[in-house]
Amino acid sequence: MPAGRLWPLMDPDEMVRSLEAERARGVALFGAAETLDDLEAAQVEVMGRRSRFSAVQKAVGSVPPEDRKRVGQVANDVRGELQQALAARREALESLAEDALLDADRIDLTLPGRAPRIGSLHPLTIVEREAVEVFTSLGFRVAEGPEVEDDWHNFQALNIPEDHPARTMKDSLYVGVPGHPELLLRTETSAVQIRTMQSQPPPVFVVAPGRVYRRETSDPTHLPVFHQIEGLAVDEGITFADLKGTLEAFARAMFGERRRIRLGPAFFPFVEPGCEVGVSCFRCEGAGCRVCGTGWIELLGAGMVHPVVLENCGYDSERYTGFAFGLGIERVAMLRYEIADIRMLVDGDVRVLEQFQGVV
Ligand code: FA5
């Protein structure tokens, strides 16, 4: 039997007690609802059409007039309070739901991001820039020349005679352009000496960094393609002492006091006298090992510019003298970073390269 039918028969005091009980039950149920769905279910149970509260409310009309106002008043109060409790809980649950949504959507900016791998300068670039800076700080400017050279600039003007071994196919790489048998990949940056002197009168103070090519098998200290920095100083009164001072300043700046320098005689057709500069090996400190063989790593060739070369470029060799040098950038890098095999510089192995991250 539906509950509503019973209420007209109830005692008004009983109705008031029932209403109070529903108020307490409703407030507790609404407060305990953990989701909006729970809350809606609690609302239907406590205040819905078939609820005890609804039945009592409907029965108020049948209460004897002397008690109707009192019971009606309690019913109104209870309804108001239940609605208030319901609205408060709904608001709280809605805001919790919104917080949860925002939480789920949140992008956490406090964690360190996944950093993309960034490249670094190649050790040869680092060394080349540093070496060039040493020379520019001494007053040299940077000059350039082409990597595909002709026989005259690469050999003849440098006083390298027809029968010099460096001219043979064995040592040089010819480009093979039809109709241009004289074109080859430059074997040394010394060709830039010629181009510079042809383009300007003395005084000349230049350094020319660049790539050179030789028909050579690679080993721990040799590559077929490597880099040199050519240096050339021509003016009145330039002496061998100027050359020595310049090279010593360079070696000090690049290697500090750690390495010993050795200067020995050497022959190059374009200088007279010529010399060679070696630096004590970082691995064996001069004793001789697999890296250096002799205890010394050959760093550069140098000398006083041959008068024939000056004349070939239109300079008066009676009035002007000069010095020139050509140093191997890979060798500087080996000595700087204690690299035991020159081939590591061109293998492109990231494990080697990433060690130079942040070195500028
Ligand atoms: C020359 O190339 C001369 N042009 C240097 C020169 C310039 C002498 C001006 C006098 C006046 P050489 O072949 O020795 O010389 O090479 C010079 C430097 O380049 C060497 O000392 C060495 O540091 C480097 N080098 C030579 N061959 C190789 C190679 N195959 N791989 C790496 N570095 C090399």
PDB file of all heavy atoms in Angstrom, residues 187-190 193 214 216 221-224 226-228 230-231 268 270-271 276-277 298-303 324-328 330-331 342, ligand 1:
ATOM      1  N   THR A 187      97.021  20.570 -53.344  1.00  0.00           N
ATOM      2  CA  THR A 187      97.712  19.621 -52.466  1.00  0.00           C
ATOM      3  C   THR A 187      98.191  20.303 -51.191  1.00  0.00           C
ATOM      4  O   THR A 187      98.589  19.643 -50.240  1.00  0.00           O
ATOM      5  CB  THR A 187      98.922  19.013 -53.188  1.00  0.00           C
ATOM      6  OG1 THR A 187      99.720  20.096 -53.687  1.00  0.00           O
ATOM      7  CG2 THR A 187      98.488  18.145 -54.349  1.00  0.00           C
ATOM      8  N   GLU A 188      98.189  21.630 -51.200  1.00  0.00           N
ATOM      9  CA  GLU A 188      98.595  22.401 -50.016  1.00  0.00           C
ATOM     10  C   GLU A 188      97.995  23.802 -50.144  1.00  0.00           C
ATOM     11  O   GLU A 188      97.689  24.247 -51.251  1.00  0.00           O
ATOM     12  CB  GLU A 188     100.126  22.473 -49.905  1.00  0.00           C
ATOM     13  CG  GLU A 188     100.810  22.886 -51.198  1.00  0.00           C
ATOM     14  CD  GLU A 188     102.268  22.401 -51.264  1.00  0.00           C
ATOM     15  OE1 GLU A 188     102.885  22.296 -50.205  1.00  0.00           O
ATOM     16  OE2 GLU A 188     102.757  22.133 -52.363  1.00  0.00           O
ATOM     17  N   THR A 189      97.833  24.476 -49.036  1.00  0.00           N
ATOM     18  CA  THR A 189      97.239  25.814 -49.090  1.00  0.00           C
ATOM     19  C   THR A 189      98.243  26.853 -49.604  1.00  0.00           C
ATOM     20  O   THR A 189      97.887  28.029 -49.769  1.00  0.00           O
ATOM     21  CB  THR A 189      96.716  26.240 -47.694  1.00  0.00           C
ATOM     22  OG1 THR A 189      97.670  25.853 -46.704  1.00  0.00           O
ATOM     23  CG2 THR A 189      95.374  25.603 -47.387  1.00  0.00           C
ATOM     24  N   SER A 190      99.479  26.430 -49.884  1.00  0.00           N
ATOM     25  CA  SER A 190     100.500  27.387 -50.337  1.00  0.00           C
ATOM     26  C   SER A 190     100.096  28.126 -51.611  1.00  0.00           C
ATOM     27  O   SER A 190     100.585  29.237 -51.872  1.00  0.00           O
ATOM     28  CB  SER A 190     101.834  26.673 -50.553  1.00  0.00           C
ATOM     29  OG  SER A 190     102.263  26.102 -49.348  1.00  0.00           O
ATOM     30  N   GLN A 193      99.222  31.649 -51.176  1.00  0.00           N
ATOM     31  CA  GLN A 193     100.315  32.635 -51.130  1.00  0.00           C
ATOM     32  C   GLN A 193     100.391  33.362 -52.474  1.00  0.00           C
ATOM     33  O   GLN A 193     100.473  34.590 -52.539  1.00  0.00           O
ATOM     34  CB  GLN A 193     101.676  31.938 -50.944  1.00  0.00           C
ATOM     35  CG  GLN A 193     101.942  31.334 -49.591  1.00  0.00           C
ATOM     36  CD  GLN A 193     103.370  30.782 -49.546  1.00  0.00           C
ATOM     37  OE1 GLN A 193     104.284  31.337 -50.169  1.00  0.00           O
ATOM     38  NE2 GLN A 193     103.574  29.703 -48.823  1.00  0.00           N
ATOM     39  N   ARG A 214      95.329  14.908 -50.987  1.00  0.00           N
ATOM     40  CA  ARG A 214      96.516  14.179 -51.459  1.00  0.00           C
ATOM     41  C   ARG A 214      96.174  12.713 -51.668  1.00  0.00           C
ATOM     42  O   ARG A 214      95.323  12.162 -50.969  1.00  0.00           O
ATOM     43  CB  ARG A 214      97.661  14.284 -50.445  1.00  0.00           C
ATOM     44  CG  ARG A 214      98.236  15.680 -50.403  1.00  0.00           C
ATOM     45  CD  ARG A 214      99.408  15.792 -49.454  1.00  0.00           C
ATOM     46  NE  ARG A 214      99.692  17.208 -49.219  1.00  0.00           N
ATOM     47  CZ  ARG A 214     100.587  17.666 -48.382  1.00  0.00           C
ATOM     48  NH1 ARG A 214     101.322  16.808 -47.678  1.00  0.00           N
ATOM     49  NH2 ARG A 214     100.777  18.960 -48.225  1.00  0.00           N
ATOM     50  N   GLU A 216      96.912   9.731 -50.665  1.00  0.00           N
ATOM     51  CA  GLU A 216      97.660   9.163 -49.551  1.00  0.00           C
ATOM     52  C   GLU A 216      96.786   8.152 -48.828  1.00  0.00           C
ATOM     53  O   GLU A 216      95.561   8.329 -48.770  1.00  0.00           O
ATOM     54  CB  GLU A 216      98.032  10.289 -48.569  1.00  0.00           C
ATOM     55  CG  GLU A 216      99.516  10.395 -48.327  1.00  0.00           C
ATOM     56  CD  GLU A 216      99.864  11.533 -47.391  1.00  0.00           C
ATOM     57  OE1 GLU A 216      99.836  12.705 -47.814  1.00  0.00           O
ATOM     58  OE2 GLU A 216     100.183  11.235 -46.238  1.00  0.00           O
ATOM     59  N   THR A 221      98.260   9.175 -38.262  1.00  0.00           N
ATOM     60  CA  THR A 221      98.566  10.618 -38.331  1.00  0.00           C
ATOM     61  C   THR A 221      98.355  11.213 -39.731  1.00  0.00           C
ATOM     62  O   THR A 221      98.664  12.378 -39.952  1.00  0.00           O
ATOM     63  CB  THR A 221     100.023  10.903 -37.888  1.00  0.00           C
ATOM     64  OG1 THR A 221     100.900  10.012 -38.593  1.00  0.00           O
ATOM     65  CG2 THR A 221     100.207  10.733 -36.402  1.00  0.00           C
ATOM     66  N   HIS A 222      97.824  10.434 -40.669  1.00  0.00           N
ATOM     67  CA  HIS A 222      97.638  10.945 -42.037  1.00  0.00           C
ATOM     68  C   HIS A 222      96.230  10.690 -42.563  1.00  0.00           C
ATOM     69  O   HIS A 222      95.656   9.626 -42.332  1.00  0.00           O
ATOM     70  CB  HIS A 222      98.619  10.268 -43.008  1.00  0.00           C
ATOM     71  CG  HIS A 222     100.033  10.679 -42.773  1.00  0.00           C
ATOM     72  ND1 HIS A 222     100.847  10.046 -41.874  1.00  0.00           N
ATOM     73  CD2 HIS A 222     100.776  11.676 -43.325  1.00  0.00           C
ATOM     74  CE1 HIS A 222     102.040  10.623 -41.873  1.00  0.00           C
ATOM     75  NE2 HIS A 222     102.026  11.621 -42.738  1.00  0.00           N
ATOM     76  N   LEU A 223      95.708  11.682 -43.300  1.00  0.00           N
ATOM     77  CA  LEU A 223      94.426  11.538 -44.005  1.00  0.00           C
ATOM     78  C   LEU A 223      94.636  11.974 -45.451  1.00  0.00           C
ATOM     79  O   LEU A 223      95.501  12.817 -45.723  1.00  0.00           O
ATOM     80  CB  LEU A 223      93.367  12.466 -43.375  1.00  0.00           C
ATOM     81  CG  LEU A 223      92.831  12.096 -41.987  1.00  0.00           C
ATOM     82  CD1 LEU A 223      91.986  13.244 -41.443  1.00  0.00           C
ATOM     83  CD2 LEU A 223      92.009  10.814 -42.047  1.00  0.00           C
ATOM     84  N   PRO A 224      93.848  11.461 -46.378  1.00  0.00           N
ATOM     85  CA  PRO A 224      93.994  11.929 -47.762  1.00  0.00           C
ATOM     86  C   PRO A 224      93.369  13.322 -47.975  1.00  0.00           C
ATOM     87  O   PRO A 224      93.765  14.047 -48.881  1.00  0.00           O
ATOM     88  CB  PRO A 224      93.250  10.865 -48.589  1.00  0.00           C
ATOM     89  CG  PRO A 224      92.363  10.175 -47.626  1.00  0.00           C
ATOM     90  CD  PRO A 224      92.930  10.327 -46.260  1.00  0.00           C
ATOM     91  N   PHE A 226      92.661  16.689 -45.710  1.00  0.00           N
ATOM     92  CA  PHE A 226      92.863  17.292 -44.396  1.00  0.00           C
ATOM     93  C   PHE A 226      92.874  18.818 -44.531  1.00  0.00           C
ATOM     94  O   PHE A 226      92.575  19.353 -45.607  1.00  0.00           O
ATOM     95  CB  PHE A 226      94.145  16.737 -43.737  1.00  0.00           C
ATOM     96  CG  PHE A 226      95.417  16.988 -44.515  1.00  0.00           C
ATOM     97  CD1 PHE A 226      96.287  18.021 -44.165  1.00  0.00           C
ATOM     98  CD2 PHE A 226      95.760  16.198 -45.597  1.00  0.00           C
ATOM     99  CE1 PHE A 226      97.459  18.251 -44.857  1.00  0.00           C
ATOM    100  CE2 PHE A 226      96.944  16.418 -46.316  1.00  0.00           C
ATOM    101  CZ  PHE A 226      97.783  17.441 -45.941  1.00  0.00           C
ATOM    102  N   HIS A 227      93.149  19.492 -43.443  1.00  0.00           N
ATOM    103  CA  HIS A 227      93.065  20.961 -43.442  1.00  0.00           C
ATOM    104  C   HIS A 227      94.407  21.585 -43.042  1.00  0.00           C
ATOM    105  O   HIS A 227      95.097  21.049 -42.183  1.00  0.00           O
ATOM    106  CB  HIS A 227      91.992  21.441 -42.469  1.00  0.00           C
ATOM    107  CG  HIS A 227      90.627  20.958 -42.821  1.00  0.00           C
ATOM    108  ND1 HIS A 227      90.208  19.677 -42.556  1.00  0.00           N
ATOM    109  CD2 HIS A 227      89.592  21.587 -43.441  1.00  0.00           C
ATOM    110  CE1 HIS A 227      88.970  19.528 -42.998  1.00  0.00           C
ATOM    111  NE2 HIS A 227      88.577  20.668 -43.536  1.00  0.00           N
ATOM    112  N   GLN A 228      94.691  22.684 -43.669  1.00  0.00           N
ATOM    113  CA  GLN A 228      95.906  23.416 -43.313  1.00  0.00           C
ATOM    114  C   GLN A 228      95.556  24.884 -43.054  1.00  0.00           C
ATOM    115  O   GLN A 228      94.506  25.367 -43.488  1.00  0.00           O
ATOM    116  CB  GLN A 228      96.916  23.375 -44.471  1.00  0.00           C
ATOM    117  CG  GLN A 228      97.526  22.010 -44.724  1.00  0.00           C
ATOM    118  CD  GLN A 228      98.627  22.050 -45.773  1.00  0.00           C
ATOM    119  OE1 GLN A 228      98.591  22.876 -46.685  1.00  0.00           O
ATOM    120  NE2 GLN A 228      99.592  21.162 -45.661  1.00  0.00           N
ATOM    121  N   GLU A 230      97.623  28.232 -43.969  1.00  0.00           N
ATOM    122  CA  GLU A 230      98.814  28.809 -44.582  1.00  0.00           C
ATOM    123  C   GLU A 230      99.047  30.177 -43.945  1.00  0.00           C
ATOM    124  O   GLU A 230      98.088  30.908 -43.661  1.00  0.00           O
ATOM    125  CB  GLU A 230      98.555  28.983 -46.094  1.00  0.00           C
ATOM    126  CG  GLU A 230      99.779  29.303 -46.892  1.00  0.00           C
ATOM    127  CD  GLU A 230     100.652  28.054 -47.103  1.00  0.00           C
ATOM    128  OE1 GLU A 230     100.185  26.937 -46.825  1.00  0.00           O
ATOM    129  OE2 GLU A 230     101.805  28.213 -47.548  1.00  0.00           O
ATOM    130  N   GLY A 231     100.299  30.505 -43.729  1.00  0.00           N
ATOM    131  CA  GLY A 231     100.610  31.842 -43.234  1.00  0.00           C
ATOM    132  C   GLY A 231     101.616  32.484 -44.172  1.00  0.00           C
ATOM    133  O   GLY A 231     102.508  31.796 -44.694  1.00  0.00           O
ATOM    134  N   PHE A 268     111.516  22.566 -48.728  1.00  0.00           N
ATOM    135  CA  PHE A 268     110.325  22.831 -49.537  1.00  0.00           C
ATOM    136  C   PHE A 268     110.803  23.744 -50.667  1.00  0.00           C
ATOM    137  O   PHE A 268     111.506  24.725 -50.379  1.00  0.00           O
ATOM    138  CB  PHE A 268     109.240  23.553 -48.724  1.00  0.00           C
ATOM    139  CG  PHE A 268     108.781  22.792 -47.506  1.00  0.00           C
ATOM    140  CD1 PHE A 268     109.326  23.068 -46.252  1.00  0.00           C
ATOM    141  CD2 PHE A 268     107.807  21.803 -47.602  1.00  0.00           C
ATOM    142  CE1 PHE A 268     108.907  22.371 -45.121  1.00  0.00           C
ATOM    143  CE2 PHE A 268     107.377  21.097 -46.476  1.00  0.00           C
ATOM    144  CZ  PHE A 268     107.924  21.383 -45.230  1.00  0.00           C
ATOM    145  N   PHE A 270     109.614  26.101 -52.239  1.00  0.00           N
ATOM    146  CA  PHE A 270     109.184  27.515 -52.232  1.00  0.00           C
ATOM    147  C   PHE A 270     109.736  28.319 -51.062  1.00  0.00           C
ATOM    148  O   PHE A 270     109.328  29.464 -50.848  1.00  0.00           O
ATOM    149  CB  PHE A 270     107.647  27.606 -52.287  1.00  0.00           C
ATOM    150  CG  PHE A 270     106.954  26.501 -51.522  1.00  0.00           C
ATOM    151  CD1 PHE A 270     106.597  26.676 -50.199  1.00  0.00           C
ATOM    152  CD2 PHE A 270     106.684  25.289 -52.139  1.00  0.00           C
ATOM    153  CE1 PHE A 270     105.956  25.662 -49.500  1.00  0.00           C
ATOM    154  CE2 PHE A 270     106.046  24.259 -51.432  1.00  0.00           C
ATOM    155  CZ  PHE A 270     105.687  24.446 -50.124  1.00  0.00           C
ATOM    156  N   VAL A 271     110.605  27.717 -50.251  1.00  0.00           N
ATOM    157  CA  VAL A 271     111.246  28.487 -49.171  1.00  0.00           C
ATOM    158  C   VAL A 271     112.750  28.211 -49.150  1.00  0.00           C
ATOM    159  O   VAL A 271     113.205  27.165 -49.598  1.00  0.00           O
ATOM    160  CB  VAL A 271     110.652  28.159 -47.774  1.00  0.00           C
ATOM    161  CG1 VAL A 271     109.252  28.707 -47.631  1.00  0.00           C
ATOM    162  CG2 VAL A 271     110.685  26.672 -47.483  1.00  0.00           C
ATOM    163  N   GLU A 276     110.915  22.612 -40.250  1.00  0.00           N
ATOM    164  CA  GLU A 276     109.750  21.835 -39.862  1.00  0.00           C
ATOM    165  C   GLU A 276     109.591  22.008 -38.363  1.00  0.00           C
ATOM    166  O   GLU A 276     110.590  22.060 -37.647  1.00  0.00           O
ATOM    167  CB  GLU A 276     110.054  20.369 -40.153  1.00  0.00           C
ATOM    168  CG  GLU A 276     108.919  19.620 -40.800  1.00  0.00           C
ATOM    169  CD  GLU A 276     109.452  18.310 -41.355  1.00  0.00           C
ATOM    170  OE1 GLU A 276     110.154  17.575 -40.620  1.00  0.00           O
ATOM    171  OE2 GLU A 276     109.172  18.040 -42.528  1.00  0.00           O
ATOM    172  N   VAL A 277     108.351  22.107 -37.888  1.00  0.00           N
ATOM    173  CA  VAL A 277     108.155  22.241 -36.448  1.00  0.00           C
ATOM    174  C   VAL A 277     107.384  21.025 -35.944  1.00  0.00           C
ATOM    175  O   VAL A 277     106.341  20.671 -36.503  1.00  0.00           O
ATOM    176  CB  VAL A 277     107.403  23.549 -36.101  1.00  0.00           C
ATOM    177  CG1 VAL A 277     107.039  23.584 -34.618  1.00  0.00           C
ATOM    178  CG2 VAL A 277     108.270  24.755 -36.445  1.00  0.00           C
ATOM    179  N   GLU A 298     104.585  15.962 -36.124  1.00  0.00           N
ATOM    180  CA  GLU A 298     104.940  17.039 -37.054  1.00  0.00           C
ATOM    181  C   GLU A 298     103.737  17.963 -37.220  1.00  0.00           C
ATOM    182  O   GLU A 298     102.645  17.532 -37.551  1.00  0.00           O
ATOM    183  CB  GLU A 298     105.322  16.416 -38.394  1.00  0.00           C
ATOM    184  CG  GLU A 298     105.916  17.396 -39.363  1.00  0.00           C
ATOM    185  CD  GLU A 298     105.799  16.894 -40.790  1.00  0.00           C
ATOM    186  OE1 GLU A 298     106.010  15.697 -41.026  1.00  0.00           O
ATOM    187  OE2 GLU A 298     105.455  17.726 -41.646  1.00  0.00           O
ATOM    188  N   LEU A 299     103.979  19.239 -36.954  1.00  0.00           N
ATOM    189  CA  LEU A 299     102.861  20.193 -36.922  1.00  0.00           C
ATOM    190  C   LEU A 299     102.817  21.069 -38.170  1.00  0.00           C
ATOM    191  O   LEU A 299     101.753  21.370 -38.696  1.00  0.00           O
ATOM    192  CB  LEU A 299     103.040  21.093 -35.689  1.00  0.00           C
ATOM    193  CG  LEU A 299     101.925  22.054 -35.367  1.00  0.00           C
ATOM    194  CD1 LEU A 299     100.667  21.284 -35.014  1.00  0.00           C
ATOM    195  CD2 LEU A 299     102.325  22.958 -34.212  1.00  0.00           C
ATOM    196  N   LEU A 300     103.980  21.490 -38.636  1.00  0.00           N
ATOM    197  CA  LEU A 300     103.978  22.415 -39.756  1.00  0.00           C
ATOM    198  C   LEU A 300     105.314  22.452 -40.479  1.00  0.00           C
ATOM    199  O   LEU A 300     106.354  22.065 -39.948  1.00  0.00           O
ATOM    200  CB  LEU A 300     103.609  23.827 -39.282  1.00  0.00           C
ATOM    201  CG  LEU A 300     104.490  24.512 -38.223  1.00  0.00           C
ATOM    202  CD1 LEU A 300     105.640  25.276 -38.881  1.00  0.00           C
ATOM    203  CD2 LEU A 300     103.666  25.459 -37.391  1.00  0.00           C
ATOM    204  N   GLY A 301     105.217  22.933 -41.735  1.00  0.00           N
ATOM    205  CA  GLY A 301     106.408  23.239 -42.503  1.00  0.00           C
ATOM    206  C   GLY A 301     106.468  24.749 -42.638  1.00  0.00           C
ATOM    207  O   GLY A 301     105.436  25.430 -42.656  1.00  0.00           O
ATOM    208  N   ALA A 302     107.693  25.308 -42.744  1.00  0.00           N
ATOM    209  CA  ALA A 302     107.806  26.771 -42.811  1.00  0.00           C
ATOM    210  C   ALA A 302     109.146  27.163 -43.431  1.00  0.00           C
ATOM    211  O   ALA A 302     109.970  26.303 -43.754  1.00  0.00           O
ATOM    212  CB  ALA A 302     107.687  27.364 -41.405  1.00  0.00           C
ATOM    213  N   GLY A 303     109.356  28.443 -43.588  1.00  0.00           N
ATOM    214  CA  GLY A 303     110.637  28.910 -44.099  1.00  0.00           C
ATOM    215  C   GLY A 303     110.540  30.336 -44.619  1.00  0.00           C
ATOM    216  O   GLY A 303     109.489  30.975 -44.529  1.00  0.00           O
ATOM    217  N   ALA A 324     106.852  32.091 -44.632  1.00  0.00           N
ATOM    218  CA  ALA A 324     105.586  31.391 -44.868  1.00  0.00           C
ATOM    219  C   ALA A 324     105.573  30.130 -44.021  1.00  0.00           C
ATOM    220  O   ALA A 324     106.626  29.605 -43.648  1.00  0.00           O
ATOM    221  CB  ALA A 324     105.446  31.033 -46.349  1.00  0.00           C
ATOM    222  N   PHE A 325     104.383  29.689 -43.692  1.00  0.00           N
ATOM    223  CA  PHE A 325     104.257  28.408 -42.980  1.00  0.00           C
ATOM    224  C   PHE A 325     102.947  27.746 -43.384  1.00  0.00           C
ATOM    225  O   PHE A 325     102.040  28.405 -43.894  1.00  0.00           O
ATOM    226  CB  PHE A 325     104.318  28.600 -41.453  1.00  0.00           C
ATOM    227  CG  PHE A 325     103.234  29.508 -40.898  1.00  0.00           C
ATOM    228  CD1 PHE A 325     101.966  29.021 -40.615  1.00  0.00           C
ATOM    229  CD2 PHE A 325     103.510  30.858 -40.666  1.00  0.00           C
ATOM    230  CE1 PHE A 325     100.979  29.862 -40.100  1.00  0.00           C
ATOM    231  CE2 PHE A 325     102.527  31.702 -40.150  1.00  0.00           C
ATOM    232  CZ  PHE A 325     101.263  31.211 -39.874  1.00  0.00           C
ATOM    233  N   GLY A 326     102.891  26.431 -43.218  1.00  0.00           N
ATOM    234  CA  GLY A 326     101.666  25.690 -43.491  1.00  0.00           C
ATOM    235  C   GLY A 326     101.490  24.655 -42.396  1.00  0.00           C
ATOM    236  O   GLY A 326     102.311  23.760 -42.241  1.00  0.00           O
ATOM    237  N   LEU A 327     100.447  24.826 -41.577  1.00  0.00           N
ATOM    238  CA  LEU A 327     100.297  23.894 -40.452  1.00  0.00           C
ATOM    239  C   LEU A 327      99.057  23.031 -40.628  1.00  0.00           C
ATOM    240  O   LEU A 327      98.059  23.447 -41.226  1.00  0.00           O
ATOM    241  CB  LEU A 327     100.280  24.655 -39.121  1.00  0.00           C
ATOM    242  CG  LEU A 327      99.111  25.536 -38.739  1.00  0.00           C
ATOM    243  CD1 LEU A 327      98.094  24.747 -37.945  1.00  0.00           C
ATOM    244  CD2 LEU A 327      99.623  26.700 -37.907  1.00  0.00           C
ATOM    245  N   GLY A 328      99.150  21.820 -40.099  1.00  0.00           N
ATOM    246  CA  GLY A 328      98.046  20.867 -40.222  1.00  0.00           C
ATOM    247  C   GLY A 328      97.063  21.026 -39.076  1.00  0.00           C
ATOM    248  O   GLY A 328      97.423  20.884 -37.911  1.00  0.00           O
ATOM    249  N   GLU A 330      94.382  19.188 -38.329  1.00  0.00           N
ATOM    250  CA  GLU A 330      94.088  17.914 -37.653  1.00  0.00           C
ATOM    251  C   GLU A 330      95.150  17.601 -36.604  1.00  0.00           C
ATOM    252  O   GLU A 330      94.850  17.096 -35.525  1.00  0.00           O
ATOM    253  CB  GLU A 330      94.026  16.767 -38.662  1.00  0.00           C
ATOM    254  CG  GLU A 330      92.732  16.688 -39.455  1.00  0.00           C
ATOM    255  CD  GLU A 330      92.649  17.699 -40.583  1.00  0.00           C
ATOM    256  OE1 GLU A 330      93.610  18.477 -40.763  1.00  0.00           O
ATOM    257  OE2 GLU A 330      91.634  17.730 -41.282  1.00  0.00           O
ATOM    258  N   ARG A 331      96.406  17.927 -36.949  1.00  0.00           N
ATOM    259  CA  ARG A 331      97.499  17.636 -36.003  1.00  0.00           C
ATOM    260  C   ARG A 331      97.355  18.510 -34.756  1.00  0.00           C
ATOM    261  O   ARG A 331      97.623  18.059 -33.639  1.00  0.00           O
ATOM    262  CB  ARG A 331      98.855  17.893 -36.662  1.00  0.00           C
ATOM    263  CG  ARG A 331      99.106  17.072 -37.905  1.00  0.00           C
ATOM    264  CD  ARG A 331      99.533  15.642 -37.584  1.00  0.00           C
ATOM    265  NE  ARG A 331      99.705  14.847 -38.779  1.00  0.00           N
ATOM    266  CZ  ARG A 331     100.833  14.775 -39.485  1.00  0.00           C
ATOM    267  NH1 ARG A 331     101.899  15.454 -39.104  1.00  0.00           N
ATOM    268  NH2 ARG A 331     100.890  14.022 -40.564  1.00  0.00           N
ATOM    269  N   ILE A 342      94.119  10.094 -35.932  1.00  0.00           N
ATOM    270  CA  ILE A 342      93.571  11.228 -36.690  1.00  0.00           C
ATOM    271  C   ILE A 342      92.230  10.876 -37.349  1.00  0.00           C
ATOM    272  O   ILE A 342      91.376  11.737 -37.550  1.00  0.00           O
ATOM    273  CB  ILE A 342      94.612  11.684 -37.751  1.00  0.00           C
ATOM    274  CG1 ILE A 342      94.328  13.096 -38.245  1.00  0.00           C
ATOM    275  CG2 ILE A 342      94.681  10.711 -38.925  1.00  0.00           C
ATOM    276  CD1 ILE A 342      95.464  13.696 -39.084  1.00  0.00           C
TER     277      ILE A 342
HETATM  278  C1  FA5 B   1     103.291  21.540 -46.835  1.00  0.00           C
HETATM  279  O1  FA5 B   1     102.139  21.213 -47.161  1.00  0.00           O
HETATM  280  C2  FA5 B   1     103.841  22.895 -47.102  1.00  0.00           C
HETATM  281  N1  FA5 B   1     102.989  23.584 -47.999  1.00  0.00           N
HETATM  282  C3  FA5 B   1     104.034  23.646 -45.814  1.00  0.00           C
HETATM  283  C4  FA5 B   1     104.807  24.902 -45.993  1.00  0.00           C
HETATM  284  C5  FA5 B   1     104.117  26.082 -46.176  1.00  0.00           C
HETATM  285  C6  FA5 B   1     106.210  24.884 -45.963  1.00  0.00           C
HETATM  286  C7  FA5 B   1     104.824  27.272 -46.344  1.00  0.00           C
HETATM  287  C8  FA5 B   1     106.915  26.049 -46.125  1.00  0.00           C
HETATM  288  C9  FA5 B   1     106.233  27.254 -46.313  1.00  0.00           C
HETATM  289  P1  FA5 B   1     103.709  19.338 -45.572  1.00  0.00           P
HETATM  290  O2  FA5 B   1     103.373  18.428 -46.672  1.00  0.00           O
HETATM  291  O3  FA5 B   1     104.794  18.937 -44.656  1.00  0.00           O
HETATM  292  O4  FA5 B   1     104.071  20.769 -46.058  1.00  0.00           O
HETATM  293  O5  FA5 B   1     102.378  19.581 -44.695  1.00  0.00           O
HETATM  294  C10 FA5 B   1     102.317  20.582 -43.733  1.00  0.00           C
HETATM  295  C11 FA5 B   1     101.587  20.075 -42.481  1.00  0.00           C
HETATM  296  O6  FA5 B   1     100.323  19.520 -42.860  1.00  0.00           O
HETATM  297  C12 FA5 B   1     102.316  18.920 -41.797  1.00  0.00           C
HETATM  298  O7  FA5 B   1     103.282  19.418 -40.919  1.00  0.00           O
HETATM  299  C13 FA5 B   1     101.216  18.244 -41.086  1.00  0.00           C
HETATM  300  O8  FA5 B   1     100.880  18.938 -39.895  1.00  0.00           O
HETATM  301  C14 FA5 B   1     100.073  18.383 -42.039  1.00  0.00           C
HETATM  302  N2  FA5 B   1      99.904  17.202 -42.882  1.00  0.00           N
HETATM  303  C15 FA5 B   1     100.648  16.830 -43.935  1.00  0.00           C
HETATM  304  N3  FA5 B   1     100.183  15.703 -44.510  1.00  0.00           N
HETATM  305  C16 FA5 B   1      99.109  15.348 -43.798  1.00  0.00           C
HETATM  306  C17 FA5 B   1      98.168  14.289 -43.882  1.00  0.00           C
HETATM  307  N4  FA5 B   1      98.225  13.374 -44.835  1.00  0.00           N
HETATM  308  N5  FA5 B   1      97.171  14.229 -42.973  1.00  0.00           N
HETATM  309  C18 FA5 B   1      97.089  15.177 -42.016  1.00  0.00           C
HETATM  310  N6  FA5 B   1      97.927  16.198 -41.878  1.00  0.00           N
HETATM  311  C19 FA5 B   1      98.926  16.305 -42.751  1.00  0.00           C
END
